[in-house]
């Protein structure tokens, strides 16, 4: 499904740069992240509801850990989680439908496809390499409005994400916000947050992008 709201900003006539979020936009990392949380709970002796945690992916890791660990332990626990992550979370993670084709659609027009994510950058790169998804750049450790820093630096005119935080990042950067209803936020939430277009998933992106480039 796509809204009829016009784009917030015109794209260059050729070779646009498009940013993509990672978790629940390009990849379904829930199985891997769940496994990592289960292992973290075992390692630390602290209860973590892994199923609840993976139902609200998007914000930075520390924002989830504060629900389970005392404030003074969050920083060290985040370091431990990130160190454990490659062992537990990479292999179980799957590409979401349309992910590779969405990246390819941008690159086929001579544009650049970049990934801008709140995830720890080295682990984000491991996911993409494991799944054979090849963006032109990967920028990690940025959430919500902070994502505008990378989007502006790379001249992105479109940002694609699944969370209301991604919509805020796109709008802060002056980029067109394309939302996919594949994460914790449904279409109504994404529209209310100000997404210019809401797609069911990335399988709809190549056609949207073709129309977008033709119109601009």
């Amino acid at each position: 499904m796509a809204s009829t709201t016009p784009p917030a900003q015109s794209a260059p006539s050729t070779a646009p740069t498009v940013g993509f979020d990672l978790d629940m936009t390009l990849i379904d990392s829930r199985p891997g992240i769940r496994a990592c949380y289960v292992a973290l709970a075992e390692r630390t002796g602290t209860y973590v509801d892994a199923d609840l945690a993976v139902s609200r992916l998007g914000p930075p890791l520390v924002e989830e850990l504060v629900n389970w660990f005392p404030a003074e332990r969050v920083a060290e626990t985040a370091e431990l989680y990130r160190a454990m992550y490659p062992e537990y979370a990479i292999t179980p993670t799957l590409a979401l439908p349309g992910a590779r084709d969405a990246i390819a659609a941008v690159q086929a027009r001579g544009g650049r496809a970049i990934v801008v994510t709140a995830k720890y950058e080295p682990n984000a790169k491991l996911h993409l390499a494991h799944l054979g998804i090849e963006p032109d750049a990967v920028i990690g450790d940025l959430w919500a409005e902070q994502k505008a820093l990378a989007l502006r630096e790379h001249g992105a005119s479109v940002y694609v994400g699944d969370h209301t935080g991604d919509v805020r990042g796109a709008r802060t950067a002056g980029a067109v916000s394309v939302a996919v209803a594949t994460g914790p936020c449904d279409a109504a939430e994404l529209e209310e947050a100000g997404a210019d277009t809401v797609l069911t998933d990335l399988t709809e992106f190549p056609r949207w992008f073709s129309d977008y480039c033709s119109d601009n």
Side-chain angles (χ1 to χ4, degrees):
M1 56 193 164
S3 74
T4 56
T5 307
Q9 172 180 304
S10 294
S13 58
T14 58
T17 295
V18 177
F20 292 87
D21 177 49
L22 184 62
D23 291 301
M24 302 313 300
T25 297
L26 289 170
I27 66 173
D28 184 352
S29 50
R30 290 173 299 182
I33 290 176
R34 184 187 185 283
C36 196
Y37 274 127
V38 169
L40 180 72
E42 292 175 353
R43 180 81 63 90
T44 61
T46 301
Y47 174 73
V48 176
D49 186 334
D51 291 315
L52 178 58
V54 299
S55 75
R56 52 193 183 195
L57 297 181
L61 171 64
V62 293
E63 292 190 20
E64 183 61 45
L65 293 179
V66 296
N67 296 305
W68 314 107
F69 294 87
E72 64 273 14
R73 291 184 58 197
V74 166
E76 67 181 63
T77 304
E79 286 190 22
L80 175 60
Y81 173 95
R82 289 171 179 142
M84 296 170 63
Y85 194 94
E87 178 181 357
Y88 292 97
I90 302 302
T91 301
T93 292
L94 305 173
L96 280 167
R100 295 180 182 87
D101 288 343
I103 298 288
V106 177
Q107 295 171 335
R109 283 186 172 264
R112 299 180 71 245
I114 66 172
V115 171
V116 183
T117 175
K119 188 179 292 295
Y120 180 54
E121 188 173 304
N123 288 340
K125 290 179 176 178
L126 287 176
H127 273 305
L128 294 164
H130 178 74
L131 293 170
I133 299 173
E134 300 182 350
D136 296 283
V138 180
I139 306 95
D141 305 293
L142 296 175
W143 163 239
E145 289 84 355
Q146 295 174 339
K147 294 186 175 188
L149 298 171
L151 296 174
R152 286 171 175 157
E153 179 182 350
H154 288 266
S157 56
V158 176
Y159 185 59
V160 185
D162 67 282
H163 199 284
T164 55
D166 298 323
V167 177
R168 300 201 306 273
R171 297 188 71 84
T172 300
V176 174
S177 172
V178 177
V180 285
T182 48
C185 302
D186 64 23
E189 289 178 273
L190 295 165
E191 289 174 356
E192 186 177 351
D196 296 302
T197 298
V198 180
L199 307 177
T200 302
D201 58 33
L202 284 178
T203 63
E204 298 177 358
F205 178 82
R207 181 172 181 176
W208 177 88
F209 186 64
S210 177
D211 291 343
Y212 171 72
C213 290
S214 296
D215 291 343
N216 293 279

